[in-house]
Each structure stands twice: as C-alpha cells, then as structure tokens.
Amino acid sequence: MDDPLVTSFMRVLIMRAIITDFDSHREAIQSVREEVFVNEQCIDRAEEFDEREIHCTHVIVFEGDRAIATGRLDIEQNGRIGRVAVVKEFRGQGVGALVMRTIEQHAQQIAQHRLWFHAQTHAIPFYKKLGYEPYGDEFTEANIPHVTMHKPISAAIPKS
C-alpha cells in the first residue's frame, strides 16, 4: 500500500491516557505544551510553566511512545483544570475529550465536586460539548481571549 490516501484512512490511533505528577513525566508534559503553547501560540515559556506544576495532577495521552496531549488538575485551586493541549496533527480525533474525561474521572475518585478553568474563546464549543458552561465576562490571558467555564461533577459511586 503505497497510496498515501489509502494509508491515511487506515491509520488507527492506539492511545493511552495516564494520570501522573509533573516530576515523573516532565519531559513528555513539556514537549506537548512547548509545541502547542510556546511554539504555536507564542506564549512565553516562563509564563507557560509555573510554580503550580508540582502541586497538580497531570494527564498525558500517548500514541505509542509519543506524548500527544496533556492537561492538569489543581485541587488546591478548587478543581481548576489547566494547560489542556493537543498536538495539532491529533486534533479533531477525540484526544482532547480523552484528556478531559480522564481528568473528570480522577476528580470523581477524589470527590472533587466542581471543575473550572479559563478556556480560550475559540475552544468554547469543544468544552460545551463536554458539558461545561461559560460564566462571567471575556478577559485576556497570555494575549489570548478567554472565558471562565465550569461543570459540576458528581462523586463516583463506590463499588459494593
């Protein structure tokens, strides 16, 4: 099969999402966020990586050995999600939804009842499909328009 069109249709993503801490997977987390936020969106690296990294639970999605998406959950900031990023070639394939579902499942397990974050305004439709609602006024963060979004999360039902 040398036909690139046929080959592109045959590609199957085999992804795995893991929950981790920053120090255990620093390189993978940084590679995704540098590609998306620093290189693509021109956010200053010093602004992108902050003192909250070590306090957060991180999610990384891998295809094979390649990190292709990430996000973080900061319980100390009342369930704040942040730094959700998907490498450009993997967008529109359910990878971002996998990051968010993984964060939500972890939040349920630790009895976090509400999740919130600052969403880039272009991503509002994506987050609305996942059940998040915007509130408040639009504001600028890292020179990009944002809005705050939130969603109640019900606690996981313990297995008998």
Side-chain angles (χ1 to χ4, degrees):
M1 299 249 183
D2 292 333
D3 184 343
L5 184 58
V6 173
T7 304
S8 69
F9 284 117
M10 293 179 61
R11 181 175 181 206
V12 176
L13 293 180
I14 300 173
M15 298 178 288
R16 63 186 166 91
I18 64 165
I19 297 171
T20 188
D21 61 82
F22 188 70
D23 288 335
S24 296
H25 288 87
R26 178 185 303 259
E27 188 175 306
I29 294 165
Q30 287 178 329
S31 71
V32 171
R33 287 172 42 194
E34 283 184 8
E35 184 172 339
V36 174
F37 295 126
V38 177
N39 298 335
E40 191 178 321
Q41 296 185 354
C42 300
I43 295 172
D44 186 289
R45 189 179 194 289
E47 190 173 350
E48 175 55 30
F49 298 96
D50 62 20
E51 71 284 347
R52 299 301 314 156
E53 303 295 353
I54 61 170
H55 301 282
C56 294
T57 300
H58 294 262
V59 171
I60 309 170
V61 177
F62 288 93
E63 183 196 34
D65 291 335
R66 181 179 178 196
I68 62 170
T70 191
R72 73 182 192 186
L73 175 62
D74 193 335
I75 295 303
E76 293 175 10
Q77 290 190 332
N78 298 315
R80 182 178 185 174
I81 296 173
R83 309 311 203 261
V84 176
V86 177
V87 171
K88 192 173 192 173
E89 70 187 87
F90 294 94
R91 292 181 196 149
Q93 301 176 51
V95 181
L98 177 59
V99 170
M100 296 300 289
R101 281 194 311 269
T102 303
I103 289 172
E104 288 174 7
Q105 289 169 357
H106 179 70
Q108 286 178 319
Q109 291 171 352
I110 61 172
Q112 179 67 42
H113 299 290
R114 179 181 172 267
L115 296 174
W116 70 280
F117 52 91
H118 294 165
Q120 294 181 8
T121 54
H122 71 85
I124 292 171
F126 165 75
Y127 291 117
K128 280 184 141 188
K129 286 180 188 174
L130 298 174
Y132 290 87
E133 289 298 323
Y135 68 93
D137 296 328
E138 185 177 301
F139 58 93
T140 300
E141 189 171 88
N143 296 316
I144 299 170
H146 283 73
V147 67
T148 302
M149 298 188 80
H150 69 116
K151 178 180 177 178
I153 299 293
S154 55
I157 300 169
K159 295 181 182 179
S160 329

